[in-house]
Amino acid sequence: MSLEWPEWFMLGWLALMALISVLTPAWMPRPRSIGRFARSVGLPLDGDVELEQAVGERLRLRARWGSLGSLVGIAAGVPIVLSGALTTHDEWGTNIAPFAWVVLLGVLLTGRGIGVAISILPAPPEVRRSGPRLARLPRPTVADYVAPIERVGARILVAVGALMAVAVGVMPIAVESRILTGAAALVAIAALIAVEWVSSALVARAQPAVSEQMLRWDDALRAQTFRDLVSVPLMFGGLTVVVSLSAAVSWANMLGDPAMTAANVTTNLTLLGLIVVLAFSIALKPARYYLQRLWPTQFAETQPPAYGSAAPAPPTPEGA
């Protein structure tokens, strides 16, 4: 079977992702990587060498399982590329389908999400060495770890994609387009159900820790894991929306210029809305959401003082 440039390009991208996945466990235990993670989740290291080593060990374990899952996802993406399902053919030749990268990212994130979920199943290394000294009761829920804009947003995006797929199913367009849209919707729904079930099962497990400090770090790692999982239905929900919009545009093209204009405007507004929601989500710092829910005092310490607050001003340098 001869491959054309789109297949070679996508296979090259998968090979690059595989290389990054293999090298990631070597980067994570480095002080710079640990410090970057600490800043993103809002937890201080305070120059504690022992704490940094324990966190580095946890991040290395997480990275190893995440890399293994990513490699499995990449391996699953290779036959998808070779099948030609991600390429289009027209009078200009062979090209990469508009939704190809969403599919590949979805497969990659699915593998990685499964891997990092497995990484939190066994007891943490420091607990296996020293034994648990405390455990949390009552146990948190998934809602304590994942911000609503991500968790509820995944449900809304999958639901919108499913409704759009139903609408595409009744359009007088090619059967292949309807099958593709329906398959994308089913995958998104299955991913959402699986992630909801896996997240609930993981959060129900005991959470032993050697100290309150390490319990906070365990919460940070759990929150990151659940966020990795919820990114899977988000990605496939987005895929369903993109494929549905593409099918709607092709149908509008058959109806004439007014319908085509309306379809293009709707498509651009939808994509713009997704970008705005993504930017808003990043601005809310969802990686620190668990702190606000589970450790409000710690969360308050990570926030800048409010303008006009009664916080004391810094001392004036002598001689000023």
Side-chain angles (χ1 to χ4, degrees), residues 178-263:
R178 286 183 283 177
I179 292 176
L180 177 61
T181 306
L186 290 176
V187 170
I189 294 171
L192 179 63
I193 294 174
V195 165
E196 294 275 358
W197 180 80
V198 170
S199 299
S200 298
L202 289 175
V203 81
R205 294 176 62 87
Q207 194 180 10
V210 297
S211 66
E212 184 178 281
Q213 187 181 47
M214 287 309 300
L215 184 60
R216 286 195 291 269
W217 279 99
D218 193 76
D219 281 333
L221 289 164
R222 279 190 168 200
Q224 193 62 41
T225 298
F226 294 139
R227 294 183 63 232
D228 288 340
L229 286 172
V230 83
S231 67
V232 177
L234 276 171
M235 185 63 65
F236 284 115
L239 170 63
T240 306
V241 171
V242 171
V243 173
S244 299
L245 288 174
S246 178
V249 169
S250 65
W251 176 55
N253 189 35
M254 298 184 297
L255 299 179
D257 292 339
M260 189 64 184
T261 301

Side-chain angles (χ1 to χ4, degrees), residues 2 15 19 23 49 54 70 73 94 116 121 148 150 165-166 173 181 193 229 236 256 272-273 275 295:
S2 61
L19 178 62
L23 295 178
V49 176
S70 297
T94 306
V116 296
L121 289 177
E150 294 181 326
V166 172
I173 57 177
T181 306
I193 294 174
L229 286 172
F236 284 115
L272 178 62
I275 294 174
W295 305 94

Side-chain angles (χ1 to χ4, degrees), residues 48-231:
D48 189 331
V49 176
E50 185 177 349
L51 173 63
E52 186 173 321
Q53 290 176 344
V55 173
E57 192 174 15
R58 297 283 297 274
L59 289 177
R60 187 186 301 111
L61 179 64
R62 169 186 164 82
R64 286 174 179 171
W65 278 103
S67 295
L68 179 59
S70 297
L71 291 175
V72 173
I74 291 169
V78 171
I80 298 177
V81 173
L82 295 179
S83 70
L86 303 183
T87 56
T88 59
H89 303 272
D90 53 32
E91 58 182 341
W92 303 104
T94 306
N95 297 290
I96 299 175
F99 53 83
W101 298 114
V102 183
V103 173
L104 293 180
L105 280 174
V107 174
L108 176 63
L109 291 177
T110 299
R112 187 175 183 276
I114 294 173
V116 296
I118 294 175
S119 71
I120 68 173
L121 289 177
E126 69 275 3
V127 172
R128 292 198 297 269
R129 286 193 298 266
S130 306
R133 300 175 189 173
L134 59 93
R136 167 184 284 146
L137 289 174
R139 293 172 183 169
T141 64
V142 179
D144 293 319
Y145 290 106
V146 185
I149 196 169
E150 294 181 326
R151 186 166 180 248
V152 179
R155 297 173 179 175
I156 294 175
L157 188 58
V158 171
V160 169
L163 291 175
M164 293 178 68
V166 172
V168 169
V170 299
M171 291 179 182
I173 57 177
V175 176
E176 293 79 3
S177 296
R178 286 183 283 177
I179 292 176
L180 177 61
T181 306
L186 290 176
V187 170
I189 294 171
L192 179 63
I193 294 174
V195 165
E196 294 275 358
W197 180 80
V198 170
S199 299
S200 298
L202 289 175
V203 81
R205 294 176 62 87
Q207 194 180 10
V210 297
S211 66
E212 184 178 281
Q213 187 181 47
M214 287 309 300
L215 184 60
R216 286 195 291 269
W217 279 99
D218 193 76
D219 281 333
L221 289 164
R222 279 190 168 200
Q224 193 62 41
T225 298
F226 294 139
R227 294 183 63 232
D228 288 340
L229 286 172
V230 83
S231 67

